[in-house]
Amino acid sequence: MHAWPASDVPALPGKGRDLEIHDTATQGTITLAPGPVARIYVCGITPYDATHIGHAATYNAFDLVQRVWLDTKRQVHYVQNVTDVDDPLLERALRDGQDWTELAERETALFREDMTALRMLPPQHYIGAVEAIPGIVPLVERLRDAGAAYELEGDVYFSVESDPHFGGVSHLDAEAMRLLSAERGGDPDRPGKKNPLDPMLWMGAREGEPSWDGGSLGRGRPGWHIECVAIALDHLGMGFDIQGGGSDLAFPHHEMGASHAQALTGEFPMAKAYVHAGMVALHGEKMSKSKGNLVFVSALRRAGVDPAAIRLALLSHHYRADWEWTDAVLAEAVARLERWRAAVSRPDGLPADALVEEVRAALAKDLDAPAALAAVDRWVELQLADGGDDEAAPGLVSRTVDALLGVAL
Ligand code: 5CA
Ligand code: ZN
């Protein structure tokens, strides 16, 4: 699949710092020091509805990761998937009487437009579940042949007991895992499973649903977790730097994915850090496609909201916080954008070398975007009040905000 066009990332003087990031698996902050090429996998959308502010907030967090790494003069190898076949997508298509492939293509196209407008850097490999099937089948066969997977009435399940590290991403107890599994695509109550938590790797063909050739597995379609593992291992290999997504993916998705990969390769860990963004709510409840309490990025854009203001609204919350989208959040971002633009449109100004370092330091410390905004706010206020005679300053501030925060002034 093609991704979307990259916006320019201006080079800044000097060099950024290595990223310290909160890792769900070790439950603490670790400093990542990748080689010349940093490797990141971020879970993509299930394209049955348009990109909402919650999605955008999560992708914003991982866009900041890339920008911090690029500023350390590293290259970034970024992979993202599109879950373009799965139960919720098929159910929505059926409900609305439309073709599931058309629905997926339309919503993926809209996602690309939203990501482009928000200046999110694109992945180098943007891979759909359907196009990954030929790589998924041999992995499931290998797991089965190694005794890490078993068949149940034409479906194939992964045995969570085959990974000694199972539980090491989310650290939840069995009861919490069972509840979340039932809530998030699992089937803990299906009779015949070895362990209620075992997730499906391959679903045998169902009447009226799409299916693909699965070699010795028979016709069917892939499970959700093996989809991301196959794509990540194919393009990044084991031991990549970050596995990213919203906090609702820690269990079961990232827990199961890590176990699949570890059982397949015998190596540990799949990712050096498991990084999770907080959930954005609307009217007191998590924004979610299934509940329908959504603010769409495309709807805001159509209403004339500058994408740079949407981006500033996302940046005004720490990525790990759960927060609530309100009109006031957006209004504050619109006002901030206006102040920042006024400040950099002056022909000269206050020297900004210290500001570049402040923004760098804030982001390198677990992506503290609110602290970065506060640093820019301080420069902007002094600049608007007193100004200065450094002709390079406004340009340097614009480039810093663009390169590190993805905001075009
Ligand atoms: N296709 C799978 C991942 S492989 C999936 O979870 N798709 S999704 O469309 O449901 O979500 C895409 C990303 O947005 C995930 O990282 C998810 O955790 C995140 N996300 C979903 N809802 C919210 C929300 N309300 N706030 C923040 N992030 C969210
Ligand atoms: Zn995923």
Side-chain angles (χ1 to χ4, degrees), residues 41-49 52-59 62 81-84 86 111 224-225 227-228 244-250 253-254 276-282 285-289 293-294 322-323:
Y41 184 93
V42 179
C43 283
I45 53 161
T46 305
Y48 68 89
D49 215 335
H52 60 64
I53 287 291
H55 299 135
T58 288
Y59 295 110
F62 298 101
N81 69 306
V82 187
T83 307
D84 59 358
D86 201 5
F111 177 71
W224 174 29
H225 319 304
E227 165 196 341
C228 284
S247 58
D248 58 343
L249 296 190
H253 188 50
H254 291 168
H276 294 112
M279 289 292 114
V280 181
L282 182 71
E285 265 201 285
K286 176 194 158 187
M287 234 182 239
S288 80
K289 287 181 276 208
N293 57 335
L294 305 170
D322 294 329
W323 56 280

